[in-house]
Amino acid sequence: MSGASPAGGRADLTLPRRAFPAMGTVVSVIVGADAAHGDAAVAATAAVFARWEARCSLFDPRSELSRVGRGELALVDASAEVRDAYALALHWRDATDGAFTPHRGDGLIDLNGVVKALAVEEAGEALDRAGFAGWAIGAGGDVLVAATPAGPDGGGLPIGIVDPADRSTLLSRIDIDPPRRRAVATSGSVERGDHIWTLPGSGPSPFGQVSVAAAELVAADVLATAIVAGGRPSLDDLADRHDIDVLAVMRDGGLLATPGWPRRASGADA
Amino acid sequence: MLLASAASAAAILGGWQLGTAATDGLTASGGTTTDGPAGANASPDGSASSGSSSADSSGSSDATQSTDAAGSADAATSSSGASDGTYAGTTVSTRFGDAQVQVTISGGAITDVTALQLPDHDGRSVQLSNRAATVLQSEVLQAQSSSVAMVSGATYTSSAYLQSLQAALDAAGF
C-alpha cells in the first residue's frame, strides 16, 4: 500500500502492521517495534493459519475434518491437533452446558468455533519464540496481544468494539492489560450467524453482539459465542464462573456490561 | 468483602454437604465420612455447576440452595441420620480460584463451618457478583477508530473486511 504514515499525524497507534486473508476473513498483525522483520512475523502467522485450515476447514474438501465428515477418515486416525481441538471443543461444550457445541445441526463436526482462536494463540507463541515483543493479532473479531504490555504508554492496548448498528463506528473501547486480560473476542448473531445456534427451545438470541475480554483467546471466543447462544442465563452463569469482562448488545441496542467492563470516569474525556 | 464472600460460599457448601451427610448417615456407622473422589462426584458435583454461580451472587438467586439446606437439616434432625463428625465439602471452582469448606455436625446440627481453602485475590478488588447490568452507551469508554490498535466485531468476511474499520486501521499502519 502506501509508504510510511505521516509523521506526527496523530497518536501513537500507526503501529507497523500487515494483513492477509485466511479462514474466510482477514488476519491483521501488529509486529511491534521490530518492524524490520515484519514480513517474517506475518509469514510465521500465515503459516500457522494455513496449517489449521488444512486440518480443520470445512470449506476445503481435502482438509482432515472434511474427510472425517465424509467418513473417509476415522477421527481416531486424524492428527493429534485435530483430535485435541475436538477434545477442547467438547470441554467447552460441557463447560457452557451445551451453549457452545462443535456439533452442527446436520451432525458434522465443526471446529470453527475454536480453530481460529487456536491459530491466533499458536501464531502468538511463534512470534514470542521469534523474539517479537509487543505484537497483537486480530482475526475476524478475535484479538490477542503479547504478554508484554504494548500500549502507547506501556499500559493496556486499546481495542475498539464495533457498533453492530453501524459497523463503521465503534461502540466502546477496552484497554487490555496483560496478563489478566490478553484477549478480546466478539460474536454476533447477525453477520455469519450460521456459526451460532441458540439452545433448543430458547428462541432467537436476545443479544445482537457479545464481546468478552479474558486472559486466553479460546475462552473469550467460546464464551462470547455461548452467551449469544444461551442468552441472559448463560451470560449470568458464565460471567460468574469465569474471570471475564462482558459487553453485550441487546437486539434493541441496549447494553449490558459486567462490573469489570471499563466505564468512563464521570467527566473524563471520551 | 472477602469474609462476606467466604461466609456466603460456606453457607451454601455447608448446605450441600449436609445433604450428603444426611444420606451417608443411613449407612455410615458414625465418625468422619471421607469424601473420596467417587463421593465427591456424586450429588455435590452435580449441583456444582449451578451452585457455584449462585455462590458468588448476592443472594437473590440462592433460593434453591437455601431450601435444600433447610430440608436436609430437618431430615437430619428428625431421623438423627446425620452422624456427628467433620465433613469436608467438595472443592468448587470459582473464577477467583478453588474454594472448599468443612462443616462439623453435632447432635444433628451444624456447629462449625471452616474454610479449608479460599481463592487468592492478587490484590484486585473482590466483586461478590460479576452480574451484568444495564449501562448507557455514554457510560462506557468511547473511542474513535484512530485511537485503537485493533477492532473487535462480529466476524467479518473477507469482502466485508474491505469496508471494516479494521481495514482502515491496517491501511493506516502500512
Side-chain angles (χ1 to χ4, degrees):
Chain A
M1 300 263 201
S2 65
S5 46
R10 53 179 169 78
D12 318 85
L13 289 160
T14 48
L15 298 168
R17 56 171 75 223
R18 305 283 195 281
F20 63 90
M23 295 187 181
T25 183
V26 174
V27 180
S28 306
V29 185
I30 290 176
V31 293
D34 299 319
H37 305 292
D39 289 345
V42 171
T45 303
V48 170
F49 273 80
R51 282 201 295 275
W52 277 106
E53 283 196 283
R55 292 171 191 138
C56 295
S57 172
L58 291 179
F59 301 101
D60 179 355
R62 299 161 301 174
S63 76
E64 283 188 69
L65 208 54
S66 291
R67 292 166 59 209
V68 169
R70 290 194 303 269
E72 298 168 10
L73 176 67
L75 197 55
V76 293
D77 295 325
S79 65
E81 289 85 356
V82 170
R83 285 182 279 122
D84 286 349
Y86 185 50
L88 181 68
L90 291 180
H91 160 78
W92 280 109
R93 180 195 61 177
D94 294 345
T96 59
D97 295 325
F100 173 89
T101 177
H103 297 137
R104 259 172 38 174
D106 59 7
L108 280 185
I109 295 172
D110 184 341
L111 298 181
N112 286 341
V114 294
V115 161
K116 188 172 57 170
L118 278 174
V120 172
E121 290 195 336
E122 188 179 318
E125 290 165 10
L127 296 185
D128 281 339
R129 278 197 306 275
F132 289 96
W135 52 262
I137 303 172
D142 283 358
V143 177
L144 181 71
V145 306
T148 43
D153 52 1
L157 201 64
I159 308 299
I161 305 297
V162 169
D163 183 347
D166 176 1
R167 299 177 61 82
S168 67
T169 62
L170 294 175
L171 179 70
S172 176
R173 186 188 95 213
I174 182 168
D175 301 341
I176 54 176
D177 220 349
R180 184 165 165 258
R181 295 285 179 263
R182 284 188 63 194
V184 178
T186 299
S187 284
S189 55
V190 277
E191 205 171 338
R192 306 193 88 186
D194 56 332
H195 75 294
I196 294 177
W197 292 273
T198 55
L199 292 175
S202 64
S205 173
F207 300 134
Q209 178 174 294
V210 173
S211 299
V212 172
E216 297 179 341
L217 185 56
V218 172
D221 192 349
V222 164
L223 292 173
T225 302
I227 291 169
V228 170
R232 182 72 197 238
S234 289
L235 169 59
D236 290 340
D237 178 44
L238 296 172
D240 252 346
R241 279 198 281 146
H242 298 272
D243 184 14
I244 56 175
D245 300 319
V246 184
L247 178 69
V249 186
M250 313 286 288
R251 286 192 174 279
D252 67 4
L255 299 180
L256 289 171
T258 54
W261 189 273
R263 309 293 207 275
R264 284 172 84 174
S266 53
D269 62 335
Chain B
M1 290 286 252
L2 172 57
L3 288 177
S5 176
S8 164
I12 290 162
L13 293 175
W16 292 344
Q17 191 54 42
L18 186 55
T20 308
T23 312
D24 290 347
L26 297 176
T27 49
S29 57
T32 300
T33 300
T34 306
D35 234 334
N41 285 338
S43 61
D45 228 28
S47 53
S49 59
S50 61
S52 61
S53 62
S54 57
D56 274 343
S57 64
S58 48
S60 60
S61 60
D62 290 345
T64 315
Q65 299 298 344
S66 313
T67 308
D68 283 354
S72 304
D74 288 344
T77 307
S78 60
S79 67
S80 299
S83 307
D84 289 356
T86 301
Y87 301 85
T90 306
T91 301
V92 174
S93 294
T94 75
R95 65 202 165 91
F96 300 115
D98 290 342
Q100 185 185 28
V101 300
Q102 72 176 17
V103 296
T104 300
I105 296 176
S106 180
I110 296 176
T111 58
D112 190 26
V113 179
T114 310
L116 295 181
Q117 45 174 327
L118 285 173
D120 297 325
H121 293 290
D122 67 326
R124 65 182 286 235
S125 64
V126 177
Q127 285 147 350
L128 292 181
S129 169
N130 199 27
R131 190 178 177 85
T134 301
V135 293
L136 299 173
Q137 188 177 347
S138 58
E139 294 177 286
V140 296
L141 283 182
Q142 305 292 299
Q144 304 298 318
S145 60
S146 60
S147 65
V148 298
M150 285 279 183
V151 169
S152 181
T155 307
Y156 39 73
T157 60
S158 301
S159 53
Y161 166 81
L162 293 175
Q163 282 84 47
S164 74
L165 286 171
Q166 184 68 57
L169 279 178
D170 291 344
F174 275 118

